[in-house]
Amino acid sequence: MTVARAGAIKARTAALNQLKDLRLTAPEPLRSALRAGGLRQLAQAAARLRPDPTRLAEPTQATKAAMRSVGRRVQILTDEINDLDRQITALVAQIAPATLSLFAVSTHHAAQLVITAGANPDRLHSEAAFAALCGASPIPASSGKSHRHRLNRAGDRHANRTLHMITVLRMRWHPATRAYVQRRTAEGMTKLEIMRCLKRYIARETYHALISDLTTSQRLDAV
């Protein structure tokens, strides 16, 4: 379902960009009428256009017909995305409640982590292995008297992006994380170094939550 949702979002983004281009090249009266609002408002307005089918040879009517078609496509894709969101939310709440309960872990974050774990069961034997799987394990990059680490560019990039987004949210809204950032900044660490440390911690935290969820799921399947 997450693959279907990603495809629908990609298609909707392409459709919205098409509408923006059509508005830009539309004849002036039509362009002026559709100038207000953002892309979502443009899609709604475009879907309500009523071109004259007997005058499609005229630029204005042809543009109206094209924009109405694309606007209705956006509406259909939006309905599909909303429907998939409802299904994903219900499923994740059922199979990953512990992961979902973590601070700043949204439904789609939890879904991606479950997918990553489920696709790589042989790499869940330790939290360090899971961190490496997510590209969150620090790699030594020391030189001479300089002791430092660099980001791991390997691993599941979708899971890595998920950990990154959780990190960003916690740095903004989580009191303990904000205090940690302030302390490490005072010690001379850069923002990237701090984020690397936080991603490693979050990988450890989510690993234990995922193991709990997967173990519970397996027990239920066995009943």
Side-chain angles (χ1 to χ4, degrees), residues 2-130:
T2 57
V3 173
R5 180 181 183 274
I9 289 176
K10 184 176 180 180
R12 184 177 66 178
T13 299
L16 288 170
N17 287 334
Q18 287 175 342
L19 277 178
K20 182 171 65 173
D21 292 340
L22 284 168
R23 178 174 61 181
L24 184 65
T25 58
E28 176 53 35
L30 180 58
R31 183 167 67 249
S32 297
L34 298 173
R35 186 167 291 153
L39 289 180
R40 298 294 175 85
Q41 289 75 22
L42 173 61
Q44 294 171 358
R48 293 194 296 267
L49 290 173
R50 299 190 181 281
D52 186 341
T54 66
R55 299 164 55 200
L56 293 181
E58 299 176 12
T60 296
Q61 300 303 318
T63 303
K64 281 185 176 182
M67 295 189 74
R68 182 178 68 170
S69 176
V70 178
R72 290 180 174 179
R73 187 186 312 155
V74 170
Q75 291 181 333
I76 292 171
L77 288 167
T78 298
D79 290 341
E80 179 183 347
I81 291 166
N82 291 338
D83 187 47
L84 288 168
D85 278 340
R86 286 190 290 270
Q87 295 179 49
I88 292 170
T89 297
L91 183 60
V92 172
Q94 178 183 348
I95 66 176
T99 305
L100 195 58
S101 69
L102 299 177
F103 192 94
V105 177
S106 70
T107 296
H108 296 295
H109 294 153
Q112 180 56 58
L113 293 172
V114 169
I115 290 170
T116 299
N120 300 272
D122 56 318
R123 300 183 66 174
L124 296 180
H125 54 82
S126 70
E127 52 92 7
F130 179 71

Side-chain angles (χ1 to χ4, degrees), residues 70-222:
V70 178
R72 290 180 174 179
R73 187 186 312 155
V74 170
Q75 291 181 333
I76 292 171
L77 288 167
T78 298
D79 290 341
E80 179 183 347
I81 291 166
N82 291 338
D83 187 47
L84 288 168
D85 278 340
R86 286 190 290 270
Q87 295 179 49
I88 292 170
T89 297
L91 183 60
V92 172
Q94 178 183 348
I95 66 176
T99 305
L100 195 58
S101 69
L102 299 177
F103 192 94
V105 177
S106 70
T107 296
H108 296 295
H109 294 153
Q112 180 56 58
L113 293 172
V114 169
I115 290 170
T116 299
N120 300 272
D122 56 318
R123 300 183 66 174
L124 296 180
H125 54 82
S126 70
E127 52 92 7
F130 179 71
L133 171 63
C134 296
S137 55
I139 298 176
S142 300
S143 177
K145 295 182 179 180
S146 174
H147 297 282
R148 54 184 294 272
H149 294 78
R150 65 176 177 85
L151 291 173
N152 185 351
R153 301 297 180 184
D156 186 318
R157 303 320 297 168
H158 295 294
N160 186 276
R161 183 178 183 278
T162 295
L163 293 183
H164 177 81
M165 294 306 299
I166 296 170
T167 299
V168 170
L169 290 170
R170 289 192 178 189
M171 290 175 69
R172 185 174 300 173
W173 303 110
H174 191 225
T177 301
R178 289 169 61 87
Y180 173 84
V181 171
Q182 291 176 355
R183 177 168 60 84
R184 298 298 257 174
T185 300
E187 293 173 358
M189 291 184 68
T190 66
K191 182 178 179 180
L192 286 178
E193 290 173 333
I194 294 170
M195 292 184 73
R196 188 198 70 237
C197 294
L198 287 171
K199 285 171 71 174
R200 180 64 180 83
Y201 170 80
I202 294 169
R204 179 185 305 119
E205 186 182 42
T206 54
Y207 165 79
H208 290 293
L210 283 167
I211 291 298
S212 174
D213 287 329
L214 294 174
T215 301
T216 301
S217 178
Q218 290 171 356
R219 283 201 301 264
L220 291 176
D221 289 341

